[in-house]
Amino acid sequence: GRSIDLPGGKSVWFGFFQSVSLGWKPMVNVDVANKPAVKGCDFISYMEEVLSIPGRGRDYPPQKPNFRINEGRNWKPELHKYKLERDIKGLKIRYIRPDEQKREWRCNRVLESPRNLCFEHEGEAMSVEDYFLHAYKYKLKYPFLPCIHLGSVQKTFYIPVELCQMKAQAFPHSKKVGEDETAQMIRKTAVTPKERKERIENSLRNISNTFKNDEYAKEFGLSVEGVMSQIQARVYDPPHLAYKDLARMENLPNVLGLTPAIIPFKIPHPGGKWDMTKGPKGSKLSFIDNRHLKNWAILDLANLSKEDINAFVDALYAEGDKIGYQVEYQSEVVKANMNSMNHVYQAFQKLCSKRPDMILVFTRGKNATVYNGLKYEGDIVQKISTQFVQQKNIGSKKFSAKPATLHNILLKINSKLGGTNQMLHTSNTPSILQRPVIIMGADVTHPASDFKNTKPSIAAIVGSMDAKASQFLCEIRLQNTGQVEEMISSMEEVTKKLLIQFRNKNLGRKPEKIIFYRDGVSEGQFLIVLNQELAAIRRACVSLEEDYNPPITYIVAQKRHKTRLFPVNPKDGVGKNLNVPPGTVVDHTITHPTEFSFFLASHEGIQGTTKPTSYHLLWDDADMKPDDIIKMTYYMCHTYARCERSVSYPAPTYYAHLAAFRARVHHDALVDTNRDTRDNRARLEEEISLANYFM
């Protein structure tokens, strides 16, 4: 296949994926595949790529250090060594001896320069520089660049970088691609459905020809069609959402505490996204439940001018005013230097001592240490909501922030303060939600491959607490089994806790049904998960009351699969990429031959080709109709509070994903500050009393 260059000495390799999948008949599943790789080049050029500093903004090229001048004196170990070592450790490097012989080893670490690095040679100390002069009559050109330790850790293969080449190789699984490279890779690999379809069809032709020319395949009568299967799909209409209409509130009296102000909102064709400010004529729409931003403070880590901060607050006020959401002036602004965590903590604690409802944190850009530290301090220790805003989204006095960005910040703030942004309108609430039910979502996040042994897997389970399934409570569990475990081991205890909370919030009524969306289980684990987790949910119900046995619907949602849907006629596609429209469902031919499963593309593909989510019904004693399950799933994709879009899987699953991710942030904060003790881990599992803190 071909490859495309990425920053930092990396590249992307393109190829294709193929597997046999048993649908209603045997099928071959073909898709494009992309893999990050390391570019092959001489080692000094590679060092310059890895250690370059990104240019300011997208349009400026990165600034590369020049290690070839002045015998390599531009190499600064205190600045460069750690970053280079982290990048090249474990990669294969080719060493070309001065006598042209070649060797290939994996890299261990970065060492001193050949002039300063000594080792024992025939009983006496000798520098690497002298050794090459003595053994090969080779004078090093760059005696001030480092050596690298190759091969066995026990042996002293200390090689000057000028004699090395980086070998072109696929990126090892145990290493993580950097954030910039990942973002670039996504941009380079996201292709329109039309282009992706062409690439897949080319691969298909190759595969088909391979089968035609293979004598064994002929003997068995095996052949592969050279074209994609055409199948019937259905497109579901988006639901009507509900918002509060302030214009009606002013005109109509409030009778017996009923507000007639909640009105249906029609999502414009073809669905997938909407704008609440564009409601019916003469209306002024607002969130269902406003929790206005009244008592709040700002922690400024970006050292902004007073004018810029005021311009941002004014812009936020104006954006809130459009939807009847009140933003009052902040109680105070405290500045701190981002480079000193102690300083940041002190400033944050000073703000917390006044007990505001919310602290907005302004940062220059992404900084994991600051983010992890303050989220831990805010969510776990002080129990005060925080909202981070990057400087590029704050704008300035001259260029005010984008209205869409401000609106999205308000969606998150209202949610974190315990408000409800939007919900499904009563006219089309799925019939199952008309009685008390609890909708649960669960996800397990695993540590990155380089932290397998030090960091635990984290499970998050959320449960809905209200009739409209818009308020969720969340339970976190750290799974310290030592291996990557997809099973949620404390399912029974967690479910019981959520059921008790539900009962307390609903005047003593228990849910009559349980709907459970489970994320991230592969087909090979269906039975194990079902046996363990379903049994645990059952036990939780019985331990609550002996004859309490509500019907359970257990659905697995998967995104890690290689099935893609394309409109046969590109003109039927929607959006600038002409993807399948949101609400597209396929529940036959390519799904499971005997069990109920379906593909649903519930979101609008903004970048590249839409990836439909695959849903598999593992258990259902509520006897729901297939159509109702699909509708309920699609509708639940519209209640996600962080944006005005229908998302790629139901809100409860998404919230579980966010909550697990936030718990990872809390745990990383403990690791960063050497506080990863048993007591502190237990604290992460205690109930976090902040509503929707993970938004």
Side-chain angles (χ1 to χ4, degrees), residues 244 286-292 325 414-415 418-422 471:
K244 197 192 281 175
S286 182
F287 298 142
I288 291 288
D289 177 12
N290 281 317
R291 299 290 168 93
H292 303 293
Y325 183 83
N414 188 48
S415 208
T420 303
N421 297 348
Q422 78 258 18
Q471 290 293 316

Side-chain angles (χ1 to χ4, degrees), residues 503 510 538-550:
R503 187 174 64 184
K510 296 186 298 298
R538 280 263 173 265
R539 289 197 301 275
C541 294
V542 172
S543 71
L544 204 63
E545 272 176 34
E546 231 163 69
D547 54 352
Y548 178 49
N549 194 5

Side-chain angles (χ1 to χ4, degrees), residues 622-653:
D623 290 333
M624 289 179 70
K625 294 193 190 82
D627 199 48
D628 289 345
I629 292 179
I630 295 173
K631 238 184 194 157
M632 171 183 75
T633 303
Y634 182 41
Y635 286 7
M636 293 296 293
C637 294
H638 291 77
T639 59
Y640 182 62
R642 291 192 350 165
C643 57
E644 286 168 12
R645 288 183 170 274
S646 87
V647 286
S648 57
Y649 50 23
T653 344

Side-chain angles (χ1 to χ4, degrees), residues 426-494:
T426 327
S427 61
N428 58 210
T429 306
S431 54
I432 186 150
L433 284 181
Q434 282 155 18
R435 312 279 310 153
V437 300
I438 184 167
I439 297 184
M440 296 168 71
D443 190 15
V444 179
T445 156
H446 303 296
S449 43
D450 35 350
F451 292 113
K452 278 245 160 43
N453 305 324
T454 46
K455 294 184 179 178
S457 292
I458 297 177
I461 300 94
V462 303
S464 63
M465 292 292 139
D466 60 332
K468 290 280 187 251
S470 60
Q471 290 293 316
F472 287 86
L473 279 183
C474 156
E475 290 284 336
I476 299 290
R477 291 294 175 270
L478 277 62
Q479 316 222 102
N480 306 344
T481 45
Q483 79 257 33
V484 176
E485 183 58 275
E486 192 50 62
M487 267 11 83
I488 298 175
S489 41
S490 43
M491 195 68 184
E492 180 179 350
E493 167 220 359
V494 169

